[in-house]
Amino acid sequence: MSEATFTALRAQLEQAATTFADGPRTLEGILLGMVDDVDRAVREPLEIFPVCHHSPASALAMARRLREKQPKVVYLELCEDMAPLLTELRNCRLPVAVQAFATEVDGFPADWAPLSVVAPVTEASAEYQAIAYALDTPGVELVLVDRSSDHVFQWQEPEAEAPDGADPDAPPAEEEAALHGDAVGVEIGDLRPRFAELEEHLLRHGKVRHWSEWWHQYVELPLGGSDHDTYRQVMFLIGSLFRRLAPGGSRRVRVDEDRERYMWTRMREHLAGTGTDPADCLYVCGAFHAASRVEEFGVGGSAGFEISPRTDTKWQYGLIPSSHAAIEAQFGLAAGSVSIAATEWAKNLKRTRVKPYRLAGQAGTRKPARTAAPPAPMADTPPADRLTGFLQRPPVLDPLDEAELLGWSVEIVRAARRNGYLASTADAIAVFETSILLAGMRDRAKPTPYDFQDAAVTCIEKESVPGRRDVRRLAEIMMGGDRIGQVGYDALPPLARDVHDRLAPLNLRLQQRGVQRALLDIASQPELAKCSDVLWILKYLMPHGAARPIMGERRLGEKSIQESWDLALGTHQRALIELGYEGVSIEQVLEQRLRRTAYDPKATAATVLRAVEDAVLHLRSRRLADELGTRALEVLAQERSVDGAPEVLRRVRGLLAYYRTNEPVLPGWVESFVKTGHAHYCTLLPTAFTDEDATVRQVAAMFGFLFSMESLALSLGCDRTQLELAVAQSHPREPDKTALLWAAQTQLGRLSRDELRARCADLLGNPLVVPAYPRYLSGFLHALEPVPQLTDFVVEAVSNAFAELPDPVLLPWLPSLITSLRSSGSELAPLLIREAGRIFPGRLDALDTWVPPWRAQAAPAAALGSGRPGSPAALSLLAAHPAACDSLAALLGCEGTWDEPAPTGVALLARHPGTATALEALLTPS
């Protein structure tokens, strides 16, 4: 291109700057600088092809240029370490995303893990056209030149930032929009003004709502049928405009310039190493980078940029499903814009008859028809100035396609009816006319899909949305829908393929999206037990809903004979693929996660015991269970609080019962855990009674551990005196903990039932203590966990409270009673209900004459005096009625005769006077 190519354009822009800015000042520098950027990019010997991300105009121009030029090397702006994955695109249904994933980081902050980088690919993108051409054309080399995934995070600031283009205040995304998760997106050809005032100016004067609509109206449509030179120069001009108006000195601009230096350095290295002629190459990059002003720009640029080495982080690579909504959410595009771009791509292909490139065997695409041999590459001719004519040419008025608009109007009414709207034919006519009216108000000869969406919302949307989707969402679906990609079986990692193979006996299409019901009759088909094992592990590893049990459960010592599952592995394909980055089988991944949970610095004894239980349930690994159990013993010995005591008690009981019924002997770590737990909780017991942060439920769980495992602990060498001393040193100040202590003393034999009953009677008889009596009852309720033998006494105490407490005290206490029963209802409520059903009469008419057993037994007990075994009253009763003892002796095979009752009192002294005489001599002074 000669020096005078853009002379006329420079003169016109200089004159415009003088007119609008009252003199050649800053505006002239910006306008002429834009022309210089275009001139510089066009002059570059290595042809630069500027693109916009997921732009049908860019894809169309790319397909046309590749057939004309047929380059031997294609340089693509994409992470260079993702190159081996691109061949797997032929096994997928687009859109999908190329992903780099790292679970363990080395060289980055630990709180950044896991690291994830994705680059989505759609069919209506110039990048896919370049990839398909390079991979299916013999002799063509595809070279990725952008920074590696490791450098993406090397150049990231320490503080967490939202992905470029994302709105931090946006509402949560739907399931389809979350397919990329929290991954960092690689922007291939991102074009969006970074100067907020410029974007606001363009939207206001373009009479559009958002940037995607402006781009569709003023760039996509004009460039859809333009020639190659016009397309390149216009995209260079747009990239230069946005680049020169971007805020200077920001971190993002600095990173962009480093990326440009990185890419040009890689391209010069490849050209020097292979000896390829730059004229036979094509460089595909974003228009923003095409108008670069760095010194390293071009084949002849400086070579002073040094690329830093990668860290020791181990990256895993794979393909994950993507969707139009996920791309829009990640890159800040308007909802439905990618779907509209796909529709526009199909229309452009039909209109221009350009044959796009598709990977051979690409899933979801039609088999291309046989065509003649590709034409010979055309000789490149120096392009002329296309910008001047393009900028001066008035917009081409696209005639209204009434049939297309009428079809849209009828279809949106039909969709609205299916979703509960009371739409009619009149609404279809209104949508048709309103679309034309809105286009006229916005200076458009033809309604765009965005005009149609606004018209549909205006005419059909009412005060409320009757169905799951509103009219705007229905219009987006109708215009192309949220197309969701799928990774084919051959492109899945080994773990995902292994899961599909092991679940093959279910005869389900597991790669299909949506929920499928799986029925497992394990009793009649024992081979399905292996499928059940896989499903339970998937339930543990994958998000909620991927594998959800409907019938059947897995507990220690139990086996299901029938199970029913809802499976949605196709919907959660991304999560299954990312499991493949952690190991080669789901058992290995589960074992790694259990170890990670157990050895976490913040792990508690309860969480480690849960990991032990999961290892027994899902892996049936005695080795792993013993290892994690030993870790639980270490964590328990280091704990200084009782927060996890309830869960520790529940899980230790379950594991102890399992090993007692399934193993010949208890594992060594279980015995050690019981011994350590006994000493540990005895030590913490006095402190827990006075600690305000320790709840009565936690203290009751400690007693539950000590009492329920006391026999095992004593057999292993523990001392009961330690427990008695701990109880003696406990001095609670709160009523509920005091009642719990009384229950523990009763269990240890330090407090009798009569004394406990007398204390409760004293509480009810003291007017100062009556308001706090419900808290004592709460303590007795929690005491049922460690001392279930007190169930009848608790029923008695609660009955006395209902009988004697005044209403101002009783009624406010009832909610707390219900709350206590609900929190521990699975263990406490059945005990109380069962005991109350045994004590209380079963008929309503018997309630009037019913006498509580604790009151009926009071009189006989007082008349008999002390009825303890060995007392005189008991011996006299046995001597008066010897038949019962004779029958029991005969049953046991004992023989003997009845002796006279031993003398007592004065009779005993008369028969044995020696003791009294010795005592008299001792007491008589000499």
Side-chain angles (χ1 to χ4, degrees), residues 46 75-76 78 80 143-148 151 259-273 296 305-310:
L46 175 59
Y75 297 113
L76 182 61
L78 188 62
E80 58 184 2
V143 182
L144 306 187
V145 294
D146 200 0
R147 55 182 176 168
S148 66
H151 286 90
R259 290 178 62 187
E260 293 157 4
R261 296 184 179 99
Y262 193 106
M263 290 187 286
W264 280 110
T265 300
R266 289 303 191 201
M267 285 187 285
R268 282 196 299 270
E269 291 176 354
H270 182 269
L271 290 173
E296 291 79 4
F305 183 72
E306 295 184 1
I307 299 176
S308 60
R310 303 182 188 179

Short mmCIF file of all heavy atoms in Angstrom, two decimals, residues 46 75-76 78 80 143-148 151 259-273 296 305-310:
data_model
loop_
_atom_site.label_atom_id
_atom_site.label_comp_id
_atom_site.label_asym_id
_atom_site.label_seq_id
_atom_site.Cartn_x
_atom_site.Cartn_y
_atom_site.Cartn_z
N LEU A 46 2.61 -9.71 7.62
CA LEU A 46 1.83 -10.83 8.15
C LEU A 46 0.38 -10.36 8.28
O LEU A 46 0.06 -9.50 9.10
CB LEU A 46 2.38 -11.27 9.51
CG LEU A 46 1.59 -12.34 10.25
CD1 LEU A 46 1.48 -13.61 9.43
CD2 LEU A 46 2.23 -12.64 11.60
N TYR A 75 -2.18 -18.31 12.90
CA TYR A 75 -1.89 -17.92 14.27
C TYR A 75 -3.20 -17.48 14.93
O TYR A 75 -3.89 -16.60 14.40
CB TYR A 75 -0.86 -16.79 14.33
CG TYR A 75 0.48 -17.15 13.76
CD1 TYR A 75 0.96 -16.54 12.59
CD2 TYR A 75 1.30 -18.08 14.38
CE1 TYR A 75 2.19 -16.85 12.07
CE2 TYR A 75 2.55 -18.42 13.86
CZ TYR A 75 2.98 -17.80 12.71
OH TYR A 75 4.20 -18.14 12.19
N LEU A 76 -3.51 -18.06 16.07
CA LEU A 76 -4.80 -17.80 16.71
C LEU A 76 -4.58 -17.29 18.13
O LEU A 76 -3.74 -17.82 18.88
CB LEU A 76 -5.64 -19.09 16.75
CG LEU A 76 -7.04 -18.97 17.35
CD1 LEU A 76 -7.90 -17.99 16.54
CD2 LEU A 76 -7.72 -20.34 17.39
N LEU A 78 -5.31 -17.57 21.35
CA LEU A 78 -5.86 -18.52 22.30
C LEU A 78 -4.69 -19.06 23.13
O LEU A 78 -3.57 -19.12 22.64
CB LEU A 78 -6.58 -19.66 21.58
CG LEU A 78 -7.37 -20.65 22.44
CD1 LEU A 78 -8.50 -19.94 23.18
CD2 LEU A 78 -7.95 -21.77 21.60
N GLU A 80 -1.81 -20.86 24.50
CA GLU A 80 -0.98 -21.78 23.73
C GLU A 80 -0.99 -23.19 24.29
O GLU A 80 -0.76 -24.15 23.55
CB GLU A 80 0.45 -21.24 23.68
CG GLU A 80 1.09 -21.04 25.04
CD GLU A 80 2.47 -20.42 24.95
OE1 GLU A 80 2.89 -20.11 23.81
OE2 GLU A 80 3.12 -20.23 25.99
N VAL A 143 -1.28 -22.57 15.10
CA VAL A 143 -0.38 -22.19 16.19
C VAL A 143 -1.14 -21.23 17.12
O VAL A 143 -1.60 -20.17 16.68
CB VAL A 143 0.91 -21.52 15.68
CG1 VAL A 143 1.84 -21.18 16.83
CG2 VAL A 143 1.61 -22.42 14.67
N LEU A 144 -1.25 -21.63 18.38
CA LEU A 144 -1.86 -20.75 19.38
C LEU A 144 -0.76 -19.90 19.99
O LEU A 144 0.27 -20.41 20.42
CB LEU A 144 -2.56 -21.57 20.47
CG LEU A 144 -3.59 -22.60 19.97
CD1 LEU A 144 -4.33 -23.23 21.16
CD2 LEU A 144 -4.59 -21.96 19.02
N VAL A 145 -0.99 -18.59 20.06
CA VAL A 145 0.11 -17.68 20.41
C VAL A 145 -0.19 -16.85 21.65
O VAL A 145 0.67 -16.08 22.09
CB VAL A 145 0.40 -16.73 19.22
CG1 VAL A 145 0.94 -17.52 18.04
CG2 VAL A 145 -0.84 -15.95 18.82
N ASP A 146 -1.36 -16.98 22.23
CA ASP A 146 -1.67 -16.15 23.40
C ASP A 146 -1.00 -16.74 24.65
O ASP A 146 -0.55 -17.89 24.65
CB ASP A 146 -3.19 -16.06 23.60
CG ASP A 146 -3.57 -14.86 24.46
OD1 ASP A 146 -2.66 -14.12 24.89
OD2 ASP A 146 -4.78 -14.67 24.72
N ARG A 147 -0.96 -15.98 25.72
CA ARG A 147 -0.34 -16.41 26.98
C ARG A 147 -0.96 -17.72 27.45
O ARG A 147 -2.11 -18.02 27.18
CB ARG A 147 -0.56 -15.34 28.04
CG ARG A 147 -2.03 -14.99 28.23
CD ARG A 147 -2.26 -13.91 29.23
NE ARG A 147 -3.69 -13.58 29.26
CZ ARG A 147 -4.25 -12.84 30.20
NH1 ARG A 147 -3.52 -12.36 31.19
NH2 ARG A 147 -5.54 -12.56 30.15
N SER A 148 -0.19 -18.48 28.20
CA SER A 148 -0.67 -19.75 28.70
C SER A 148 -1.64 -19.54 29.86
O SER A 148 -1.76 -18.43 30.40
CB SER A 148 0.52 -20.60 29.17
OG SER A 148 1.14 -19.99 30.30
N HIS A 151 0.08 -18.15 32.85
CA HIS A 151 0.36 -16.72 32.81
C HIS A 151 -0.90 -15.90 33.04
O HIS A 151 -0.80 -14.73 33.47
CB HIS A 151 0.98 -16.34 31.46
CG HIS A 151 2.41 -16.77 31.32
ND1 HIS A 151 2.76 -18.00 30.81
CD2 HIS A 151 3.59 -16.16 31.63
CE1 HIS A 151 4.08 -18.12 30.79
NE2 HIS A 151 4.61 -17.03 31.29
N ARG A 259 -0.06 -8.94 26.61
CA ARG A 259 -0.55 -10.03 25.77
C ARG A 259 -0.11 -9.83 24.32
O ARG A 259 0.28 -10.79 23.63
CB ARG A 259 -2.07 -10.12 25.85
CG ARG A 259 -2.60 -10.61 27.17
CD ARG A 259 -4.11 -10.62 27.18
NE ARG A 259 -4.65 -11.52 26.17
CZ ARG A 259 -5.95 -11.61 25.88
NH1 ARG A 259 -6.82 -10.83 26.50
NH2 ARG A 259 -6.37 -12.45 24.97
N GLU A 260 -0.18 -8.59 23.84
CA GLU A 260 0.22 -8.32 22.46
C GLU A 260 1.72 -8.57 22.28
O GLU A 260 2.15 -9.14 21.26
CB GLU A 260 -0.15 -6.88 22.10
CG GLU A 260 -1.66 -6.66 22.05
CD GLU A 260 -2.04 -5.21 22.25
OE1 GLU A 260 -1.12 -4.36 22.35
OE2 GLU A 260 -3.24 -4.91 22.31
N ARG A 261 2.52 -8.16 23.25
CA ARG A 261 3.94 -8.43 23.18
C ARG A 261 4.20 -9.95 23.18
O ARG A 261 5.08 -10.44 22.46
CB ARG A 261 4.66 -7.77 24.36
CG ARG A 261 4.58 -6.25 24.36
CD ARG A 261 5.41 -5.68 25.50
NE ARG A 261 5.36 -4.22 25.49
CZ ARG A 261 4.57 -3.49 26.27
NH1 ARG A 261 3.76 -4.11 27.13
NH2 ARG A 261 4.57 -2.19 26.21
N TYR A 262 3.46 -10.65 24.02
CA TYR A 262 3.60 -12.11 24.11
C TYR A 262 3.29 -12.76 22.76
O TYR A 262 4.06 -13.61 22.28
CB TYR A 262 2.64 -12.62 25.19
CG TYR A 262 2.86 -14.04 25.63
CD1 TYR A 262 3.43 -14.34 26.86
CD2 TYR A 262 2.49 -15.12 24.82
CE1 TYR A 262 3.63 -15.64 27.28
CE2 TYR A 262 2.69 -16.42 25.21
CZ TYR A 262 3.26 -16.68 26.45
OH TYR A 262 3.45 -17.98 26.85
N MET A 263 2.18 -12.36 22.13
CA MET A 263 1.76 -13.00 20.89
C MET A 263 2.74 -12.71 19.76
O MET A 263 3.10 -13.62 18.99
CB MET A 263 0.34 -12.55 20.53
CG MET A 263 -0.73 -13.11 21.47
SD MET A 263 -2.43 -12.76 20.98
CE MET A 263 -2.56 -11.03 21.40
N TRP A 264 3.17 -11.46 19.63
CA TRP A 264 4.11 -11.16 18.54
C TRP A 264 5.46 -11.84 18.77
O TRP A 264 6.14 -12.25 17.82
CB TRP A 264 4.27 -9.64 18.40
CG TRP A 264 3.14 -9.01 17.66
CD1 TRP A 264 2.18 -8.20 18.16
CD2 TRP A 264 2.86 -9.16 16.27
NE1 TRP A 264 1.30 -7.82 17.17
CE2 TRP A 264 1.70 -8.40 16.00
CE3 TRP A 264 3.47 -9.86 15.23
CZ2 TRP A 264 1.14 -8.33 14.73
CZ3 TRP A 264 2.91 -9.78 13.95
CH2 TRP A 264 1.75 -9.03 13.72
N THR A 265 5.85 -11.98 20.01
CA THR A 265 7.10 -12.69 20.29
C THR A 265 7.00 -14.15 19.88
O THR A 265 7.92 -14.71 19.26
CB THR A 265 7.42 -12.60 21.80
OG1 THR A 265 7.56 -11.22 22.16
CG2 THR A 265 8.69 -13.35 22.13
N ARG A 266 5.86 -14.80 20.20
CA ARG A 266 5.68 -16.20 19.81
C ARG A 266 5.64 -16.35 18.29
O ARG A 266 6.18 -17.33 17.73
CB ARG A 266 4.39 -16.73 20.43
CG ARG A 266 4.43 -16.94 21.93
CD ARG A 266 5.53 -17.88 22.33
NE ARG A 266 5.43 -18.31 23.72
CZ ARG A 266 6.43 -18.79 24.43
NH1 ARG A 266 7.64 -18.90 23.87
NH2 ARG A 266 6.26 -19.16 25.68
N MET A 267 5.00 -15.41 17.59
CA MET A 267 4.91 -15.52 16.13
C MET A 267 6.28 -15.34 15.48
O MET A 267 6.64 -16.07 14.54
CB MET A 267 3.91 -14.50 15.60
CG MET A 267 2.46 -14.89 15.85
SD MET A 267 1.25 -13.80 15.06
CE MET A 267 1.33 -12.37 16.14
N ARG A 268 7.06 -14.40 15.97
CA ARG A 268 8.40 -14.23 15.39
C ARG A 268 9.27 -15.46 15.67
O ARG A 268 10.07 -15.86 14.82
CB ARG A 268 9.06 -12.96 15.96
CG ARG A 268 8.53 -11.68 15.34
CD ARG A 268 9.46 -10.52 15.65
NE ARG A 268 9.55 -10.31 17.09
CZ ARG A 268 8.73 -9.49 17.77
NH1 ARG A 268 7.79 -8.83 17.13
NH2 ARG A 268 8.88 -9.34 19.08
N GLU A 269 9.12 -16.05 16.87
CA GLU A 269 9.88 -17.27 17.16
C GLU A 269 9.50 -18.39 16.20
O GLU A 269 10.36 -19.14 15.71
CB GLU A 269 9.62 -17.69 18.61
CG GLU A 269 10.22 -16.77 19.66
CD GLU A 269 9.86 -17.20 21.06
OE1 GLU A 269 9.05 -18.15 21.19
OE2 GLU A 269 10.36 -16.60 22.02
N HIS A 270 8.20 -18.53 15.90
CA HIS A 270 7.77 -19.60 14.99
C HIS A 270 8.25 -19.33 13.57
O HIS A 270 8.71 -20.25 12.86
CB HIS A 270 6.25 -19.71 15.03
CG HIS A 270 5.71 -20.80 14.16
ND1 HIS A 270 5.34 -20.59 12.83
CD2 HIS A 270 5.49 -22.13 14.40
CE1 HIS A 270 4.91 -21.72 12.31
NE2 HIS A 270 4.98 -22.67 13.23
N LEU A 271 8.16 -18.09 13.13
CA LEU A 271 8.62 -17.77 11.77
C LEU A 271 10.11 -18.01 11.63
O LEU A 271 10.58 -18.55 10.61
CB LEU A 271 8.28 -16.30 11.45
CG LEU A 271 6.80 -15.97 11.26
CD1 LEU A 271 6.61 -14.46 11.12
CD2 LEU A 271 6.22 -16.70 10.06
N ALA A 272 10.87 -17.64 12.66
CA ALA A 272 12.31 -17.86 12.59
C ALA A 272 12.66 -19.33 12.66
O ALA A 272 13.61 -19.79 12.01
CB ALA A 272 13.00 -17.09 13.71
N GLY A 273 11.90 -20.10 13.43
CA GLY A 273 12.22 -21.51 13.58
C GLY A 273 11.81 -22.36 12.40
O GLY A 273 12.45 -23.39 12.11
N GLU A 296 6.76 -4.08 20.00
CA GLU A 296 6.93 -5.44 19.50
C GLU A 296 5.98 -5.76 18.35
O GLU A 296 6.00 -6.88 17.82
CB GLU A 296 6.73 -6.45 20.62
CG GLU A 296 7.81 -6.45 21.68
CD GLU A 296 7.65 -5.31 22.69
OE1 GLU A 296 6.63 -4.56 22.59
OE2 GLU A 296 8.49 -5.18 23.58
N PHE A 305 11.00 -8.35 24.64
CA PHE A 305 10.05 -8.82 25.64
C PHE A 305 10.45 -10.23 26.10
O PHE A 305 10.62 -11.14 25.28
CB PHE A 305 8.64 -8.85 25.06
CG PHE A 305 7.58 -9.27 26.06
CD1 PHE A 305 7.19 -8.43 27.08
CD2 PHE A 305 6.99 -10.52 25.97
CE1 PHE A 305 6.22 -8.81 27.99
CE2 PHE A 305 6.02 -10.91 26.88
CZ PHE A 305 5.64 -10.05 27.89
N GLU A 306 10.61 -10.41 27.39
CA GLU A 306 10.98 -11.69 27.96
C GLU A 306 9.75 -12.35 28.57
O GLU A 306 9.03 -11.73 29.36
CB GLU A 306 12.06 -11.52 29.03
CG GLU A 306 13.38 -11.00 28.48
CD GLU A 306 14.44 -10.92 29.56
OE1 GLU A 306 14.12 -11.31 30.72
OE2 GLU A 306 15.57 -10.48 29.26
N ILE A 307 9.53 -13.59 28.22
CA ILE A 307 8.39 -14.36 28.73
C ILE A 307 8.82 -15.10 29.99
O ILE A 307 9.79 -15.86 29.97
CB ILE A 307 7.87 -15.34 27.66
CG1 ILE A 307 7.40 -14.56 26.42
CG2 ILE A 307 6.75 -16.20 28.23
CD1 ILE A 307 6.95 -15.44 25.29
N SER A 308 8.13 -14.84 31.05
CA SER A 308 8.48 -15.47 32.33
C SER A 308 8.15 -16.96 32.29
O SER A 308 7.22 -17.40 31.60
CB SER A 308 7.71 -14.81 33.48
OG SER A 308 6.32 -14.95 33.28
N PRO A 309 8.90 -17.77 33.04
CA PRO A 309 8.61 -19.22 33.06
C PRO A 309 7.30 -19.51 33.80
O PRO A 309 6.84 -18.71 34.62
CB PRO A 309 9.82 -19.81 33.80
CG PRO A 309 10.33 -18.67 34.64
CD PRO A 309 10.06 -17.42 33.86
N ARG A 310 6.73 -20.65 33.53
CA ARG A 310 5.51 -21.06 34.21
C ARG A 310 5.83 -21.55 35.62
O ARG A 310 6.95 -21.95 35.92
CB ARG A 310 4.79 -22.17 33.42
CG ARG A 310 4.45 -21.79 32.00
CD ARG A 310 3.70 -22.92 31.31
NE ARG A 310 3.53 -22.65 29.88
CZ ARG A 310 2.92 -23.49 29.04
NH1 ARG A 310 2.42 -24.64 29.48
NH2 ARG A 310 2.80 -23.18 27.76
#
